[in-house]
Amino acid sequence: MTEQPDTTDSIDDETNSGSKTPIDGEFTVTPYAVKGEIDYDKLLERFGADPLTDEQIRRFPEHPMLRRRIFYAGRGVDRYLEAAETGEPHAIVTGRGPSGPMHLGHVLPLYLAKRFQEETGAMVYVPLSDDEKYLAKDQSFESIGKHTRDNLRDILAVGFDPERTRIVIDTADADVIYPLAVRLANYLTPATVEAVYGEQDTIGLQFYPAVQATHLLLPQLVDGRQPTLVPIAIDQDPHVRICRDVATKESLPVDKPGALLGRFLPSLEGPGKMSSSGDVPSIELTADPETVATTIRKHAYTGGRATLEEHREHGGDPTVDVPFQYLRFFFEEDDEELERIAKQYRAGELPSGELKATAIDRITAFLTAHQRGRDALGGLEDELEPYRLTDGERRRPLERAGVPMTTRSD
Ligand code: TRP
């Protein structure tokens, strides 16, 4: 199957502006602000991305988050699928902004990337944008550094294959990232950045899109032209758009990266994005079973009725029930089991408390496995070493981009 041309990819389109505060029924989604009730289909029109077709979903490695259209849209997906199917080189980039402890929503794209790596041998790049979070959040470098080290342990705990995974940290791998970002920044104008992200507070944040564009091109700059897919929550799509634009306009030996766009894991208080900054707590990856249980029991929005009697009579609504939505997103892999739960809930046979208990059970099982991986790690430096760019992998991207290291005389 060939891809439709990207006519809607324009980043100069006025509708892409995300700086306005939403009024009733409106919503804002940019990398720096998610507000209002999100209409995921409208968002695709705004961004100019395409819903995934049934065929595309069949061609991806089997995964509940695709089957259930949690990852529901994309750009340039077919070229990635072709390479994955024929065994040609292909890459995934999915990063982390280390502004705090990681919670359940943050780790979903990483586990998806791991599945892709296991199934088709994808090379996986995980950049950490400590620079971005220093600029975007009111935190010291020391604090961001602490979160970076902590987040690295969670990323390592996912268990990627070190032969096929590279983790880069913007400030620690600045020798590679910075010259490339400068090369790309030479093309990006303030008007473009503003059209895509809205107004930025500092020139630091205005520059950052060049850094994230570097992340997305890095697999190709290291290992040569190859289809690259970026599985991310949809608020990060502007970065992909910018990068696709730069990639075609600059004469770099790369293809435009594709995007695989996901919905937000709802926060416990109901529809919306799980956030570390709201009033309701989020479920952190280090949470112990007790904490998971009390947090969900106390804070999870339910689609159940006010009393057990009413619930038995009228039934509950799984579509707004957060514990059910968690099961659907990731934590109950078996479609038939999920359907059975939904049916019993609607029929009033399954009370909210029991549905919560099931969600607590599944989430705890997932976290226990994740935490086992985390606890088995030794010192961070040693653990990270096999995932870092090698000397050759540091040199090649700069040569490919025409910014060779000035300290090398040969
Ligand atoms: N900007 C992302 C965030 O705030 C983190 C990130 C950095 C990223 N580089 C990336 C995500 C590359 C996906 C791909 O969460």
Side-chain angles (χ1 to χ4, degrees):
M1 215 177 95
T2 50
E3 230 178 287
Q4 294 301 311
D6 255 317
T7 46
T8 44
D9 229 15
S10 165
I11 51 178
D12 302 320
D13 186 340
E14 262 182 72
T15 55
N16 285 331
S17 173
S19 58
K20 295 169 201 106
T21 317
I23 50 171
D24 231 14
E26 290 196 9
F27 55 93
T28 299
V29 176
T30 78
Y32 302 106
V34 178
K35 281 183 245 154
E37 198 170 320
I38 301 162
D39 181 330
Y40 283 99
D41 296 325
K42 263 205 197 130
L43 199 51
L44 292 189
E45 284 168 34
R46 253 193 228 177
F47 283 179
D50 307 311
L52 294 179
T53 64
D54 292 344
E55 195 209 342
Q56 287 169 332
I57 287 183
R58 265 198 309 276
R59 292 171 70 193
F60 271 112
E62 244 298 296
H63 198 281
M65 284 195 284
L66 281 156
R67 242 172 21 229
R68 296 174 191 164
R69 294 180 189 270
I70 305 303
F71 283 90
Y72 76 112
R75 303 170 182 276
V77 161
D78 288 323
R79 242 180 290 142
Y80 174 87
L81 287 173
E82 274 156 34
E85 280 165 350
T86 56
E88 285 155 43
H90 56 288
I92 295 277
V93 184
T94 187
R96 163 73 189 147
S99 57
M102 283 171 74
H103 61 59
L104 288 179
H106 296 136
V107 86
L108 300 186
L110 291 172
Y111 276 95
L112 184 72
K114 186 190 175 199
R115 176 76 62 93
F116 285 5
Q117 181 171 69
E118 286 167 349
E119 298 273 322
T120 68
M123 193 69 200
V124 174
Y125 277 70
V126 187
L128 279 86
S129 53
D130 55 348
D131 52 348
E132 175 192 24
K133 295 301 152 175
Y134 173 72
L135 292 163
K137 307 274 171 173
D138 191 15
Q139 282 184 46
S140 65
F141 248 117
E142 195 184 6
S143 160
I144 295 288
K146 190 173 116 332
H147 295 312
T148 302
R149 288 188 294 279
D150 172 72
N151 290 182
L152 278 167
R153 299 188 79 81
D154 281 315
I155 293 164
L156 291 165
V158 174
F160 289 107
D161 172 5
E163 299 276 313
R164 293 179 176 278
T165 307
R166 290 295 173 265
I167 298 175
V168 295
I169 303 153
D170 284 340
T171 59
D173 294 297
D175 57 330
V176 183
I177 305 284
Y178 183 67
L180 296 171
V182 169
R183 171 85 158 78
L184 299 179
N186 194 35
Y187 165 78
L188 282 173
T189 66
T192 301
V193 172
E194 189 171 335
V196 176
Y197 301 90
E199 218 174 288
Q200 299 292 3
D201 291 340
T202 63
I203 57 166
L205 278 177
Q206 228 180 18
F207 179 79
Y208 177 73
V211 177
Q212 192 147 332
T214 300
H215 296 159
L216 306 189
L217 299 180
L218 201 53
Q220 302 190 73
L221 291 171
V222 171
D223 279 329
R225 202 183 273 270
Q226 59 188 286
T228 304
L229 191 68
V230 185
I232 29 155
I234 189 154
D235 62 330
Q236 294 292 309
D237 181 63
H239 287 301
V240 182
R241 243 158 46 220
I242 285 267
C243 183
R244 288 168 68 85
D245 204 53
V246 174
T248 42
K249 295 205 174 137
E250 286 287 270
S251 53
L252 290 167
V254 294
D255 287 336
K256 292 196 259 185
L260 182 61
L261 303 170
R263 300 172 202 264
F264 298 116
L265 182 69
S267 80
L268 284 173
E269 62 191 325
K273 167 183 166 189
M274 185 180 254
S275 148
S276 326
S277 42
D279 297 337
V280 170
S282 50
I283 299 171
E284 291 177 7
L285 297 181
T286 50
D288 57 59
E290 261 328 80
T291 310
V292 173
T294 37
T295 309
I296 290 180
R297 282 211 198 90
K298 200 161 149 203
H299 296 286
Y301 182 85
T302 108
R305 303 281 173 165
T307 67
L308 192 56
E309 229 160 63
E310 269 180 67
H311 188 80
R312 294 234 184 266
E313 193 175 334
H314 303 289
D317 180 0
T319 63
V320 298
D321 189 281
V322 171
F324 180 81
Q325 290 305 317
Y326 281 22
L327 293 175
R328 186 174 79 90
F329 260 65
F330 188 63
F331 298 102
E332 176 52 71
E333 289 223 7
D334 183 339
D335 287 350
E336 277 174 31
E337 176 64 9
L338 190 74
E339 191 41 46
R340 195 186 59 77
I341 292 171
K343 224 163 134 188
Q344 291 190 342
Y345 200 54
R346 279 197 203 95
E349 293 158 15
L350 180 70
S352 304
E354 274 179 42
L355 179 49
K356 279 186 177 177
T358 306
I360 290 166
D361 206 58
R362 299 291 196 284
I363 292 171
T364 303
F366 166 80
L367 286 180
T368 305
H370 180 81
Q371 289 163 8
R372 209 173 291 137
R374 203 182 135 111
D375 294 343
L377 295 171
L380 187 57
E381 226 170 297
D382 290 343
E383 294 287 350
L384 192 59
E385 189 52 36
Y387 294 93
R388 300 202 67 183
L389 295 170
T390 64
D391 287 345
E393 289 168 347
R394 284 174 191 278
R395 203 167 50 240
R396 287 200 307 270
L398 301 180
E399 285 165 2
R400 281 205 173 90
V403 284
M405 286 181 178
T406 35
T407 50
R408 280 173 58 94
S409 50
D410 53 344

